[in-house]
Every structure is written in C-alpha cells, then in structure tokens.
Amino acid sequence: MERFKIVHRTYYNYSENVALGTHNLLLRPRENHELRIELFTLNITPKAKVLWHLDVEDNSVAVATFNTPTQQLFIESEVIIQQYNESPLDFIVADYAINYPFKYLPNDNFILSSYMVLPNEETRILLNNWIYNVYKYNEKIQTYTLLQKLTTYIFKNFTYKVREEAGVQSAKQTLTLGSGSCRDFAFLFMEAVKCLGLATRFVSGYLYAPLMSDQVGSTHAWAEVYVPGGGWIGFDPTTGNIVGTDHISVAVSRLPDNVPPIAGSFVGVSDSTLNVGVWVTKV
C-alpha cells in the first residue's frame, strides 16, 4: 500500500466584481477496493454552499453556489489516499476474451454500448489505416498485448505538448499534428479502441511523478478499456504504461469534455485569468 497527498489549487481572478454562478467540482478521487480516502478537505473563497451527489457515471460531484460578489475565486482541495493497486497486471481475463477478436456477452454488450459508439466514417477510415501499424487484422494476438502495443505506439511516435486551452483535439487532429496533451492521447487511444469493437472510457485524475513531485504540476488523463474478467483496465498512452499505483482516478466518462475538474460561470463585465497548481507527493 502507498499513501499519497494531493493538493489542487485553482485561482480565478477578475478585473471587476462578478457574480459567480453554480460551479461543479470533480476533485474527490474515486474510492473502491484499490483506493481509499484517508482525508479530504475542500476550501473555497468566497464562502460557498456545497452539496454533493454522484453523477450518472458514479463520480463524486461537489456543487458550489455563491451569494457574494468577488474579484477572485479560490478553490483548494487536499486529499490523502491509500493506494492498493500495486500489481496492476494481477488480473484474470475471461477465457473467451483472452485472444482478440472477441465479442462481449449480450448483457455486458447492452450495458457497454454507450462506451462503444464509433467515430464518424472519415475518422474510422483514418484510424483503421493507422491501427495497421500496430495490428494486422485477423492476426492472432492476446487482447491485453494488443492494447499495450497501441499504448506504447502512441507513446513512442507522438510528441507530448502541454496545451493550456480547453477542450480535446479530435483523433484526426492528433494524427495530423503528431502531437498533443495527455487528454489528446487518451482520446486518440479511445477512438482507436472503439474501432476495434471494445468499450472504453476517459479518465481524469492525477499522476505521481517522483522527479517532479516538488514542482507545480497539473491534472492527468488516460483511458480505460473493459476487459471481461479483468474489468476496467487503465492504459496511459502518455507514459506508455498500464495504469498502476502512481495513477489516481478522480472521474470517468464516455466523453472527455464531460469531466473537467472545475466547471462554472460568472456574470459581469470583466476580464478573467486562471492559475492552477497541482502537487502530488508520497506520504
């Protein structure tokens, strides 16, 4: 078991007083048999009323509402977690899914169908041709090996770039540019996996990088694929690895744009700036 402390600070600064609208916060890690929360605090200035709920994909969402005009919004979450996913390769794949291709069982397929929606025809053609670099169709291959080869191929053949602007590049853009951020690589991986007929979802969270633990960091993104018997298995094309102890999941979604850490609005005639800092340290 490993223990990590994550501090996530966000500052919105406005040139004039503004009225803050409702803000949805996805900052609390997803608890399960692999991850337990030991401590979680949430500090918000100006004072906010906070209510919690679980969304349709079982993410913990804090809904903050405000009554005080302000020129700055400060949101800080601090969490200490216990991470038990120390052997991510210790899972058993169902017999029928060991080798690719395979088909999900009817009941699973019904539940997973929203995570298998194919990209448009133009993108499918591009991706099917691109996948040929990794997998020759009708080639005999283990399912996990195929997914890991796809992860590694993105890591080795694309250039990582920090992108401050919101949103995610399309798979076509990332293929054309040959570069992108972690969320762009995760989405490219997802679109390719769906072309292979498998269910996949986007994950937003944090990554412990020992060499950078004392520096200002940012959130991280990767993807999960549903592998029968093993469940939702994480793959990180930014690092080229299967997801393990150093990955801390906060929110999942079938669409990347659905899970920004903070989403809200303000009313007023004002310019605004945003500053974000994330620190992940081993306790």
Side-chain angles (χ1 to χ4, degrees), residues 25-192:
L25 317 178
L26 286 166
L27 298 169
R28 183 183 176 90
R30 291 170 60 87
E31 284 190 275
N32 51 46
H33 64 280
E34 295 177 341
L35 188 151
R36 297 174 190 171
I37 294 176
E38 190 176 307
L39 171 72
F40 180 85
T41 59
L42 180 62
N43 297 310
I44 303 175
T45 304
K47 186 177 179 181
K49 180 180 180 180
V50 177
L51 298 175
W52 289 87
H53 73 268
L54 294 176
D55 69 11
V56 69
E57 293 182 278
D58 213 31
N59 302 308
S60 290
V61 184
V63 181
T65 54
F66 304 85
N67 292 318
T68 307
T70 187
Q71 282 189 253
Q72 184 182 76
L73 171 59
F74 170 70
I75 300 172
E76 179 187 71
S77 64
E78 182 176 319
V79 60
I80 295 177
I81 65 158
Q82 299 172 5
Q83 176 68 281
Y84 292 85
N85 187 22
E86 295 179 277
S87 302
L89 290 174
D90 285 354
F91 60 87
I92 299 174
V93 179
D95 289 345
Y96 70 90
I98 291 175
N99 294 315
Y100 180 84
F102 69 89
K103 291 185 177 180
Y104 292 116
L105 298 179
N107 187 55
D108 288 344
N109 191 74
F110 179 79
I111 296 170
L112 295 169
S113 59
S114 64
Y115 299 95
M116 300 167 64
V117 177
L118 290 168
N120 61 48
E121 183 178 3
E122 179 188 8
T123 302
R124 288 202 307 272
I125 293 171
L126 284 172
L127 285 169
N128 285 329
N129 290 333
W130 176 74
I131 289 169
Y132 197 75
N133 293 303
V134 178
Y135 170 69
K136 309 298 187 288
Y137 290 94
N138 298 319
E139 172 189 352
K140 185 176 180 180
I141 190 171
Q142 288 193 344
T143 301
Y144 169 77
T145 301
L146 171 58
L147 294 170
Q148 184 56 52
K149 285 180 69 174
L150 184 61
T151 303
T152 303
Y153 188 84
I154 295 173
F155 169 69
K156 289 182 176 179
N157 291 277
F158 289 79
T159 303
Y160 173 77
K161 289 187 177 180
V162 176
R163 290 200 308 106
E164 299 294 342
E165 60 269 25
V168 178
Q169 291 177 174
S170 68
K172 179 180 178 181
Q173 286 176 307
T174 303
L175 288 174
T176 301
L177 294 170
S179 65
S181 66
C182 58
R183 61 188 185 275
D184 302 322
F185 293 163
F187 187 58
L188 172 61
F189 176 89
M190 290 172 59
E191 296 287 78

Side-chain angles (χ1 to χ4, degrees), residues 7-11 74-78 262 274-279:
V7 178
H8 186 158
R9 292 182 187 142
T10 304
Y11 294 88
F74 170 70
I75 300 172
E76 179 187 71
S77 64
E78 182 176 319
I262 298 173
L274 168 64
N275 289 288
V276 179
V278 173
W279 294 263

